[in-house]
Amino acid sequence: MLRSLAKTSARVPNLGSKVKFPARLKGTIVEKWADYWKNLFIDYKQMLIDLRNDIQDEPKKAFKWTVGLGMLYLLGKNNPDELDFKDNLKRIGNDIVMVSEPCQNPKSIEHLRFLETCYNAGVIHYSNLGIASIMYTSELNDSCDLYKSQCKYLQPSYFSFPSRIVDVGFMGRWWNIYIKTSNYDVN
């Protein structure tokens, strides 16, 4: 691929000198449009040539960048969403129902009841951060129209936000619900 790029870079200047506009199109928007695309192609061609030279000069650095960008892409691709959270919550709830009440872990049951209460009240929210996701609670429902929900002095501070985080989704899994309900049948 790098060799074909080098051959292409030699052909482009010759192609630009061979293409001539008729006299009636000179100075019109068509010529300006063609010049724009020609200059854009030349800029990208030069960028790819510089990239090729950088890769050849420092292959370890290029490998590190490639692995890092690949990992960011995979983390973003495997980032769980709110539907995954709800599905996980329902699946674990169905599994816990099959266990007799004396054998259930009280901490798991308490956490699931808290999440169900938050969903019923409409105070649980989802936020996508690109490579990770968070589920957090607010004090009031979005449809609530009380004075407390509109007054900026009564809004929660940014410092209280970490305490309102319910779960963190990363690498295709919601970790808090996984940790708190992994031993749901152990009392």
Side-chain angles (χ1 to χ4, degrees), residues 125-137:
H125 305 285
Y126 166 77
S127 182
N128 186 353
L129 304 175
I131 62 171
S133 298
I134 58 172
M135 295 294 289
Y136 62 96
T137 59

Side-chain angles (χ1 to χ4, degrees), residues 72-106:
L72 285 176
Y73 172 75
L74 288 175
L75 288 174
K77 187 109 173 122
N78 291 327
N79 188 16
D81 57 358
E82 188 176 9
L83 188 61
D84 293 331
F85 184 79
K86 287 179 181 178
D87 182 48
N88 199 8
L89 184 65
K90 288 177 185 176
R91 185 183 51 78
I92 291 171
N94 288 339
D95 289 345
I96 288 179
V97 167
M98 301 301 282
V99 177
S100 65
E101 201 168 315
C103 295
Q104 294 175 351
N105 188 351

Side-chain angles (χ1 to χ4, degrees), residues 3 53 55 83 115 148 158 177 187:
R3 290 182 186 148
N53 292 338
I55 289 172
L83 188 61
L115 292 175
K148 184 177 181 181
Y158 291 111
I177 196 169
N187 188 358

Side-chain angles (χ1 to χ4, degrees), residues 10-76:
R11 294 181 198 150
V12 172
N14 297 335
L15 183 63
S17 62
K18 290 179 183 177
V19 176
K20 301 286 183 190
F21 276 99
R24 63 186 169 102
L25 293 178
K26 291 205 179 216
T28 63
I29 189 122
V30 175
E31 184 181 23
K32 291 178 184 177
W33 182 74
D35 286 340
Y36 167 77
W37 285 105
K38 183 177 102 178
N39 290 331
L40 185 71
F41 181 77
I42 290 170
D43 288 343
Y44 275 106
K45 177 191 68 150
Q46 186 61 41
M47 186 266 312
L48 289 174
I49 291 170
D50 292 343
L51 179 65
R52 182 192 68 187
N53 292 338
D54 289 343
I55 289 172
Q56 289 175 346
D57 292 344
E58 299 179 37
K60 289 182 182 178
K61 183 179 177 182
F63 178 72
K64 289 177 186 176
W65 272 98
T66 304
V67 168
L69 291 174
M71 287 188 65
L72 285 176
Y73 172 75
L74 288 175
L75 288 174

Side-chain angles (χ1 to χ4, degrees), residues 82 85-86 88-89 108 110-119 122-127 129 133-139 160-170 173-181:
E82 188 176 9
F85 184 79
K86 287 179 181 178
N88 199 8
L89 184 65
S108 298
E110 181 183 338
H111 184 66
L112 290 177
R113 285 188 181 145
F114 169 72
L115 292 175
E116 288 174 7
T117 304
C118 290
Y119 266 113
V123 295
I124 195 163
H125 305 285
Y126 166 77
S127 182
L129 304 175
S133 298
I134 58 172
M135 295 294 289
Y136 62 96
T137 59
S138 61
E139 291 183 5
S160 69
F161 185 74
S163 66
R164 294 186 288 132
I165 293 177
V166 175
D167 210 338
V168 176
F170 184 69
R173 177 174 282 169
W174 289 97
W175 289 97
N176 195 27
I177 196 169
Y178 172 73
I179 291 168
K180 289 192 176 183
T181 59

